[in-house]
Amino acid sequence: MTSEFVPHRVHPALRGLVADVVGYRQEGLPPGTHRGLPSPTLTLVVTLDEPLDVAAHPDPAQAPGRYDALLGGLHTTPALIRHPGRQTGIQLSLTPLGTRRLLGVPAGALASVDVDLADVLGPLGTELVERVRAATTWDARFAAAGDVLRRAAGPGDPAPEVAEAWRLTVAGGGRLRVADVARRVGWSERHLTARFRAETGLAPKEAARVVRFDRARRALARRPRPDLAGLAAAAGYADQAHLTREWRALTGLPPLRWLAAEFGFVQDGAPARGPGSAA
């Protein structure tokens, strides 16, 4: 089996808009289905071989589809992505607060859906795919994607209160109560929830769940001998049962079954990543 993951430093002009970039190439895997998990970032995948085959989207009302370049919004249920045993492409994680500037629409407009990049960026989306696919090295592919995205970026920051609420949620690891976040930004809970959801695609409580889960997922993937009780305590869950309930809700599987199902992929440098991990 061949498994190659190439991280790339985000261009300074895209910092705050793109969280991270990675190239991936895997061959010789058993054909199967990968779970694209909830994440605090939107997912942009540009394939270099077969289109990304999404068997089930986070929104069950969306029909399955195949994508040369998939853009997935924030969500709280997994996507199911079929692969034939090989997959090659680049994946960019887009920040919800930078989405308006980068794509011209708020992340809330993409909540729980997967779309073709060209449907959002138009001709620039088509150009990005063509240039990435025409490049012959990882550096050239990253440079092509970055060049197009820098040209696409424009004005349009979210309200400062929403930005601060997101910062507090992430910095607190999803542990802060919505009431506390609302108090700190000077809004009522109801107003914060409406504005936060419209901008990011998640309500503040949902965002906290996703942030907490994302941290726990990364920690679990790095542990050769998982200690679920210890993980639950470290991540801010009430107990191991709470962790397991959340894991089932957000991935469709309990923690150890998810880890076993994803073994052989690599996520953030540890077992369990395939393209669209955040789709």
Side-chain angles (χ1 to χ4, degrees), residues 171-217:
R175 296 171 182 251
L176 281 179
R177 296 169 58 246
V178 176
D180 293 333
V181 174
R183 177 180 53 79
R184 292 196 191 188
V185 303
W187 280 354
S188 70
E189 287 187 55
R190 177 177 295 182
H191 187 61
L192 173 63
T193 296
R195 294 289 298 276
F196 193 98
R197 180 186 283 119
E199 189 65 40
T200 70
L202 299 178
K205 186 173 182 179
E206 292 173 321
R209 291 178 63 208
V210 168
V211 167
R212 185 169 57 236
F213 163 75
D214 188 65
R215 290 196 176 189
R217 172 191 61 76

Side-chain angles (χ1 to χ4, degrees), residues 58-171:
D59 180 354
Q62 186 176 359
R66 294 168 62 84
Y67 304 83
D68 291 330
L70 176 144
L71 177 61
L74 300 187
H75 52 101
T76 58
T77 53
L80 300 181
I81 304 166
R82 290 183 291 238
H83 65 86
R86 62 186 180 278
Q87 47 196 352
T88 307
I90 65 171
Q91 178 169 314
L92 301 91
S93 300
L94 313 183
T95 68
L97 297 184
T99 302
R100 186 187 291 272
R101 286 186 54 200
L102 196 60
L103 304 178
V105 297
L110 301 167
S112 296
V113 299
D114 299 313
V115 298
D116 191 285
L117 180 63
D119 290 343
V120 178
L121 277 186
L124 281 176
T126 301
E127 179 187 343
L128 188 151
V129 175
E130 291 176 347
R131 288 183 57 184
V132 167
R133 288 189 155 192
T136 57
T137 67
W138 288 119
D139 283 345
R141 292 162 186 151
F142 297 141
D147 177 64
V148 175
L149 290 178
R150 290 196 300 276
R151 287 161 47 210
D157 292 324
E161 293 86 352
V162 173
E164 177 63 4
W166 180 267
R167 187 195 69 79
L168 289 169
T169 300
V170 174

Side-chain angles (χ1 to χ4, degrees), residues 252-272:
L253 295 171
L256 296 186
R257 282 191 57 197
W258 167 79
L259 193 62
E262 292 297 301
F263 185 79
F265 291 90
V266 172
Q267 186 146 347
D268 304 307

